[in-house]
Amino acid sequence: MKIFRNIRNKLLYNGRINQYLKYALGEIILVVLGILIALQINNWNQNRIKDATEQTYLLGLKEEFQISKSKLEELININKENYTGAQKILGLTGSNKESIDETLFSNLLYKTLSNDIAFNSNNSLLSEMINSGNLKNLTNTELRKELTNWISTLEDISRQEEELSIQRIKVLDMFRTDQYSLSTVFQSAGVNDNFGLPNTSNEVSNLALLNSKEFENNILLFIVTSIATERAHYQPLMHDLDSIINLINGEID
């Protein structure tokens, strides 16, 4: 800058006003160009950092949603096993209890009612992005929309699972009376060893349940709620998962 100033002073001292003005204008242009280049480099660097951050988020989200998809696939299979077992039990209701095997009935009861249904998706990174405002770092508008809707969809799923749990508990509550025996179910189904429970000699048969209209109604409601959970909630949720994963894959470099 001192060199430029000396040149300007020399031109001005020698009365060369035109050259002085041209030189001063050129110097201004050089300064402006330097500023523009610096701004461009800074913008490029900021965009590079932003792109790298977005890619990190995308890879993390992809992993989370792939894990969630695997969990949902497993949960759908368990739910299907539950209502399939309940359908078999419903087919036995009203039958002559002497023609039904206690062990078969106990196995059906245990396999059908022992597993509660709850979708526990992996949302730690997504929650952090939403809470910190970093969801805006994703450039794909459709992806941001899908991720925002995902949380509200999970809340709806949770409410349906609560209803399914209520129907399951209503069936189990029938074993809280003196008429029927959970011990018989565990012993006949061969699960006592898993819980360290002793076998008893005074087993109470549960076959009378097959002639109970209350039991039949509870099983029927459990079946209907389980199937509704799959068709109206889990299957659309799986579609949402596939859509989100496809959007994420489309944004990963």
Side-chain angles (χ1 to χ4, degrees):
M1 295 301 294
K2 184 176 181 180
I3 295 175
F4 294 153
R5 185 166 59 253
N6 289 336
I7 294 174
R8 289 198 308 271
N9 291 336
K10 185 177 182 181
L11 289 172
L12 187 62
Y13 178 79
N14 294 329
R16 299 164 65 181
I17 303 299
N18 287 337
Q19 283 101 335
Y20 172 82
L21 293 175
K22 290 179 182 179
Y23 184 84
L25 180 60
E27 187 176 330
I28 292 171
I29 292 174
L30 285 175
V31 171
V32 171
L33 286 175
I35 293 173
L36 291 176
I37 292 172
L39 288 174
Q40 184 63 33
I41 292 174
N42 182 66
N43 289 336
W44 175 83
N45 189 53
Q46 291 297 323
N47 288 334
R48 181 181 61 81
I49 294 173
K50 182 180 177 181
D51 290 343
T53 301
E54 181 180 13
Q55 290 298 309
T56 300
Y57 279 134
L58 288 169
L59 291 171
L61 288 171
K62 179 179 179 179
E63 182 179 1
E64 278 196 351
F65 278 92
Q66 285 179 330
I67 293 173
S68 293
K69 181 178 180 179
S70 297
K71 287 183 176 181
L72 183 58
E73 289 172 340
E74 182 179 358
L75 195 62
I76 289 174
N77 289 332
I78 293 173
N79 186 56
K80 188 183 294 292
E81 290 175 0
N82 286 355
Y83 71 70
T84 299
Q87 288 170 329
K88 292 178 181 179
I89 291 173
L90 187 64
L92 297 176
T93 57
S95 302
N96 184 352
K97 63 182 181 180
E98 279 74 23
S99 65
I100 306 300
D101 181 75
E102 187 82 48
T103 300
L104 171 63
F105 186 43
S106 292
N107 274 286
L108 282 174
L109 286 170
Y110 182 76
K111 291 179 180 179
T112 300
L113 302 171
S114 61
N115 291 313
D116 199 6
I117 298 296
F119 179 52
N120 181 26
S121 64
N122 281 42
N123 294 318
S124 57
L125 177 58
L126 176 58
S127 297
E128 183 274 326
M129 291 178 67
I130 292 175
N131 293 334
S132 63
N134 285 323
L135 195 62
K136 67 179 183 298
N137 288 328
L138 301 181
T139 56
N140 189 309
T141 304
E142 182 64 22
L143 177 57
R144 292 201 305 269
K145 178 183 175 182
E146 293 272 358
L147 292 174
T148 302
N149 292 337
W150 173 257
I151 300 299
S152 59
T153 300
L154 292 181
E155 293 173 355
D156 183 51
I157 294 292
S158 180
R159 286 191 291 271
Q160 177 64 21
E161 289 173 338
E162 288 177 7
E163 177 59 30
L164 178 56
S165 179
I166 289 172
Q167 300 306 326
R168 172 176 170 268
I169 290 172
K170 284 183 178 179
V171 179
L172 292 173
D173 279 346
M174 299 194 70
F175 290 92
R176 300 182 189 276
T177 67
D178 291 336
Q179 289 181 274
Y180 309 109
S181 171
L182 274 177
S183 177
T184 299
V185 174
F186 289 165
Q187 188 163 316
S188 298
V191 298
N192 275 358
D193 291 341
N194 294 335
F195 295 96
L197 300 174
N199 291 331
T200 59
S201 57
N202 57 339
E203 287 189 27
V204 176
S205 175
N206 293 314
L207 294 178
L209 280 168
L210 297 173
N211 293 317
S212 167
K213 184 57 66 175
E214 180 184 3
F215 177 75
E216 180 181 334
N217 290 338
N218 286 335
I219 284 290
L220 185 58
L221 287 171
F222 176 74
I223 293 170
V224 171
T225 308
S226 297
I227 294 176
T229 300
E230 177 185 323
R231 294 179 181 176
H233 297 272
Y234 285 161
Q235 289 179 359
L237 188 65
M238 182 63 74
H239 179 270
D240 291 344
L241 271 167
D242 287 333
S243 176
I244 290 173
I245 291 173
N246 287 336
L247 287 170
I248 292 174
N249 285 334
E251 297 298 312
I252 293 177
D253 292 338

